[in-house]
Amino acid sequence: MSNRLGVVKTPFLGLPLLKEIQADPLTAATRLQHQCGDVAEFEILFRRIVYFFSPEAVRKVLVDHHDDFERETRLLHIFESFQGRNVLTTEGADWERQRRLLTPAFSPKRMDGYMNLMQAAIDSCVSEELPTVPGQHPSVDVDAFTTRITMDVILRTLFSHASSREETRQASLAIRALSRQSMREVYWTFVPPGWLPYPGRAAKMRNLQSLRRLIAAHVDARLRHRSESRTEAPAVGDVLDMMLQAGDDDARLSTQEILDNCMLLFGAGFDTSASALTWWIGLMATHPEVMGELRREVDAACADRLDLAGMARLPFLNATIKEAMRIYPPSTALFTRVAKRDMAIAGTAVRKGTLVVAPIWQMHRNERYFANPETFAPRRFLPGAPAIPRGAFMPFGAGPRFCLGQQFASVEIALIAAHLVRHFELDLESGDELPQPFVDLALKPKTPMKVRFLRRDGARRAATRAVGI
Ligand code: HEM
């Protein structure tokens, strides 16, 4: 119910609306957008909340007025209880220092080195999980496959550690359970202190312990190795190495901060990339004409291994990845800020303490900026296509807190995607209809997405047989 443009009446302290958002944040935000247009304002439990659906307003919040907003304290507390105090869960000077010290590990010039580690993960996981013999075409649970491969990538690039299938299976079960628990806690009306027994606490503690053990074992081993070698340890060339070397005597990451940031980078480093790849694979499996065009580009551009220069020669591959992230943005949840003072944003009064939401899903599907927004049309991202307005496409966020791993994720996703295009035909088992998405921190398929992976030379042989050659 709306009593004037943009203002939504929320009876019963807004609890029914809170329940609606909690059950399905994407559908709830779409309903608010249809009801209100570019701005939806309401109160839940006396808290003012504003959804800004226009890119202009969202850029004002994240970029132009970033100093006037902060991350929500309650959200930071919840994430801190999972990951400790890292670059995601801190604010102000603490965040600035950690971000400055971590940035070199994710600079473009580090990517060449990481690409070798990424390629090793791709070769190993593809040979373990996908058919190696022409003619085989098993049906694969896409999300399990992309989780396996992106987790191996992050473990190799963080710690130079090649993971086993069982190790990634265990860790991904723990991460999934923790993601669900964190999404649950975010919508609780009361955040219980850590010592109080609350629903899900025991499983949360158990899963956290097993993940912390995994991360701490790598960090401890590296610290031991450095201290035993007594001289400045030779660089291994992974992200942990960069963290240990970062800064000077005035500003360094403490051992605890290194552990907490490894917890964050491990989770953030594979879950969102896995989500991006899952939806990309689903879209390619249902758009064979796009796949055919892409294959011609990839075959022409790379003889064997891709390097950074080679990637620049793959505009259509990059366009398909961007278009997949437009339709299915991996990180849609909890993109929020709190106003530190009274102000006006794009003509809307925003009072101090207001929770501002940037609903990326709806922004990416706004027909004002994207013609036929539900259609998979990668050409809209090709050089020479009409310019996309600033802020209308922001899978990695914007402003000073934009994704630290943007370059890393882009290289990783392109490497994996190029490998799949060159070696496999993809075919969605259930026909043309992709599963519905749901927000599980990252955007995941609600029901398993099953795709048949058919080795390409096998596909060609089958086609040749079919025409009797
Ligand atoms: C497709 C993959 C990815 C997507 C879509 C994505 C998306 C995002 C978004 C939207 C934010 C900003 C949230 C906000 O402003 O509130 C963010 C922050 C962040 N991301 Fe990513 N991310 C991806 C991959 C990665 C990877 C691979 C890493 C690291 C290896 C990473 C590390 C981080 C970190 C550390 C932050 C917090 C930055 C800060 O607060 O200063 N992300 N990511």
Side-chain angles (χ1 to χ4, degrees), residues 105-183:
F106 292 94
S107 69
K109 67 173 191 259
R110 298 293 307 160
M111 291 307 143
D112 258 335
Y114 296 155
M115 279 175 85
N116 292 330
L117 297 167
M118 289 175 181
Q119 193 61 56
I122 296 168
D123 291 343
S124 140
C125 294
V126 165
S127 68
E128 271 180 39
E129 307 294 327
L130 298 182
T132 47
V133 181
Q136 287 180 339
H137 45 90
S139 160
V140 172
D141 180 328
V142 178
D143 205 53
F145 167 65
T146 59
T147 299
R148 164 84 181 107
I149 197 163
T150 52
M151 198 184 278
D152 198 37
V153 165
I154 197 68
L155 284 170
R156 288 179 195 246
T157 44
L158 256 183
F159 304 126
S160 300
H161 171 72
S163 64
S164 72
R165 202 179 204 180
E166 183 53 21
E167 189 180 3
T168 54
R169 198 185 69 81
Q170 295 283 353
S172 73
L173 285 176
I175 291 265
R176 277 281 61 78
L178 290 170
S179 299
R180 298 233 165 111
Q181 178 68 17
S182 65
M183 284 304 289

Side-chain angles (χ1 to χ4, degrees), residues 62 71 87-90 95 99 102 106 154 157-158 239 261 264-266 268-277 325 329-337 360 394-398 400-406 408-410 412-413:
L62 298 178
R71 287 236 167 96
V87 69
L88 181 81
T89 59
T90 47
W95 165 76
R99 175 100 191 187
L102 286 170
F106 292 94
I154 197 68
T157 44
L158 256 183
V239 176
N261 277 295
L264 162 68
L265 294 173
F266 175 61
F270 82 85
D271 211 22
T272 38
S273 299
S275 160
L277 274 163
M325 284 201 277
S331 182
T332 53
L334 316 178
F335 211 158
T336 55
R337 295 290 188 271
I360 305 191
M394 54 162 77
F396 293 102
R401 299 205 72 149
F402 79 97
C403 176
L404 184 64
Q406 171 168 359
F408 181 102
S410 305
E412 170 191 21
I413 294 166

Side-chain angles (χ1 to χ4, degrees), residues 294-305:
L294 183 51
R295 178 159 298 135
R296 285 191 288 282
E297 180 189 76
V298 172
D299 282 349
C302 49
D304 186 23
R305 292 281 193 244

